[in-house]
Each structure stands twice: as structure tokens, then as C-alpha cells.
Amino acid sequence: TVRTVVLDEADEMLDVGFLPDIERILSHTPRIRQTALFSATMPSPIRRIVGRHMRSPVWIRLGSEIETAPNVRQVYFEVLEQDRVRAFVRLLKTQMNGGKVLMFRRTKAGVDDLAQTLQRQGIAAAGIHSGLVQSDRNEVMQSFHAGELKVLVATNLAARGLDIPQISHVVNYDMPQNLEEYVHRIGRTARMGRDGTAITFVTEWDFPMLDLLQDG
């Protein structure tokens, strides 16, 4: 009896990891249905996959091809790897005014290490990634929502579907690997018309990616 199928974060849902499950689900829905896909970014490889699941699709684009929220202030700091914790603690104490901070790392081990390091500095921080069981993830998110945690360290798991309007700062502790990843990460702040700040730590090795972000 399904008449409408909606895929949010469609570029992720149609990526190689999720695609077999999505195709299996779609195979159990009527061929005559409305299928709606939503995402802040839609890379070309995903667009080609979309053609297999939609009939005569209409593309509706708001803004430019890849666009960040207008109220996000985007800054970067050139910081050596070994100095990043110290730099972040200084920023937290001098510029973040007690706001909620979402910090991104590339790996689960990096998330755990950084969260523990911040805790030793007396900062109310915790990590979240796919290696945690769902009950632990829920507990961390509830604490962050309630304001008991000031810093949430996360993998890209938190770059999608996380709706916490009060996040004042997003910090890219590790440089994102592509423009789409950057857009989704910093989209966790400046939500619902609020202002927000996105901070990216870079080294000289990150300059090619930084140039791409500035061009984008």
C-alpha cells in the first residue's frame, strides 16, 4: 500500500554501503509510487544511480550546486597536529562563550582519544561514533541536548541527521576529505536562522583541500 517513498540524505543512502539494503526495500514497494530524494549535496555518481529508481525525475535545486548556510562564519587556523588540543582549549575558553561545540575527527579511535584528552583537561566532553552501541549513543546525545556536555567529538556519523539547533560552533579537528563532507559537517550549526561558526584546523599538507573549500 506504499504510495510515497522518501529518502533523506539520499547521497548517503544510495552509496555503496547502504545501496543493497535500499534496493531490497524498494523492491517490495509498488513500481507506481512517488519517490522523493533530499540531500544538501548530490554528487554525479549518485545522480546516475538515481536514474535506476525514478521515472522521469525532476531536479529541484535551492541555491548553488554546493552551498553552505548563509549564517555560518567560516574561519581556519593553521595549527600543527601536536598543538591542536591546546589551540582548541584556548579557543573554548576565550571565544566560544559557553556554547555547544561539535568537533569532527576522521576515525573512531581519534574520537575516543580526543574525548579522553579533553576530559583530562576538565572539559565536559564525550565521543560518539558507530562503534558505540545504540544505548550509549542515546545517552551521549541526551547529555549533549541537556547541556551536561559542552563538547561532542564525533566521526561523520554526526554530520547527517543530527538536529541540535543550539550548536554554536563546529570544529573540523581533522580536515574533511571532500567538499561534500565539509558542507554536511558545518551544516550542523547556524540552523533555523541562528548564527554559527565553523572552525577548521589545517596544516601545510591541507592547503590543497583548503583551496578547494575556498573555491567551493
Side-chain angles (χ1 to χ4, degrees), residues 1 4 10 17 24 28 32 46 51 59 80-81 97 99 114 158 171 213:
T1 60
T4 303
R24 181 168 57 85
H28 291 280
I32 302 176
I46 301 300
W59 295 91
L80 294 174
E81 179 72 29
N97 301 317
L114 182 55
V171 178
L213 298 181

Side-chain angles (χ1 to χ4, degrees), residues 107-109 111-112 127-133 137 153-155 157-158:
T107 67
K108 293 181 283 189
V111 167
D112 291 337
I128 187 170
H129 53 68
S130 61
L132 298 178
V133 298
R137 286 192 231 170
V153 187
T155 58
L157 171 75

Side-chain angles (χ1 to χ4, degrees), residues 29 39 42-43 55 116 120 126 135 141 150 180 184 215:
T29 63
S39 179
M42 193 69 73
R55 296 182 304 162
Q116 292 167 12
R120 289 194 292 270
S135 59
M141 291 307 304
K150 291 302 180 185
E180 289 81 8
H184 284 283
D215 291 341

Side-chain angles (χ1 to χ4, degrees), residues 129-169:
H129 53 68
S130 61
L132 298 178
V133 298
Q134 189 62 48
S135 59
D136 289 342
R137 286 192 231 170
N138 292 342
E139 184 177 349
V140 169
M141 291 307 304
Q142 288 169 4
S143 297
F144 194 50
H145 269 284
E148 299 166 6
L149 295 175
K150 291 302 180 185
V151 180
L152 181 64
V153 187
T155 58
N156 284 330
L157 171 75
R160 306 290 188 124
L162 182 67
D163 187 16
I164 303 177
Q166 302 90 342
I167 292 175
S168 62
H169 292 75

Side-chain angles (χ1 to χ4, degrees), residues 16-194:
V16 288
F18 291 107
L19 184 58
D21 290 329
I22 295 299
E23 289 186 326
R24 181 168 57 85
I25 292 169
L26 292 178
S27 71
H28 291 280
T29 63
R31 292 181 62 84
I32 302 176
R33 66 172 189 270
Q34 180 188 33
T35 305
L37 312 180
F38 296 88
S39 179
T41 58
M42 193 69 73
S44 296
I46 301 300
R47 289 184 177 226
R48 290 192 288 271
I49 295 174
V50 165
R52 299 213 307 262
H53 302 286
M54 305 180 77
R55 296 182 304 162
S56 304
V58 175
W59 295 91
I60 301 175
R61 188 176 73 190
L62 304 179
S64 61
E65 182 70 19
I66 296 179
E67 188 173 43
T68 58
N71 294 338
V72 181
R73 175 175 172 259
Q74 301 175 57
V75 297
Y76 74 91
F77 295 98
E78 186 178 354
V79 184
L80 294 174
E81 179 72 29
Q82 61 267 28
D83 295 331
R84 291 188 180 188
V85 171
R86 183 170 57 181
F88 172 70
V89 171
R90 183 175 179 183
L91 287 171
L92 186 65
K93 293 179 177 179
T94 61
Q95 295 191 27
M96 296 185 177
N97 301 317
K100 290 183 180 179
V101 181
L102 177 59
M103 183 180 296
F104 285 101
R105 295 220 65 179
R106 288 197 187 100
T107 67
K108 293 181 283 189
V111 167
D112 291 337
D113 289 344
L114 182 55
Q116 292 167 12
T117 299
L118 295 176
Q119 290 166 9
R120 289 194 292 270
Q121 298 270 347
I123 296 170
I128 187 170
H129 53 68
S130 61
L132 298 178
V133 298
Q134 189 62 48
S135 59
D136 289 342
R137 286 192 231 170
N138 292 342
E139 184 177 349
V140 169
M141 291 307 304
Q142 288 169 4
S143 297
F144 194 50
H145 269 284
E148 299 166 6
L149 295 175
K150 291 302 180 185
V151 180
L152 181 64
V153 187
T155 58
N156 284 330
L157 171 75
R160 306 290 188 124
L162 182 67
D163 187 16
I164 303 177
Q166 302 90 342
I167 292 175
S168 62
H169 292 75
V170 168
V171 178
N172 291 302
Y173 191 93
D174 294 324
M175 172 69 81
Q177 299 181 74
N178 54 59
L179 186 56
E180 289 81 8
E181 189 174 287
Y182 178 78
V183 169
H184 284 283
R185 283 183 178 187
I186 72 170
R188 300 307 95 193
T189 189
R191 298 177 71 80
M192 300 174 64
R194 293 179 172 86

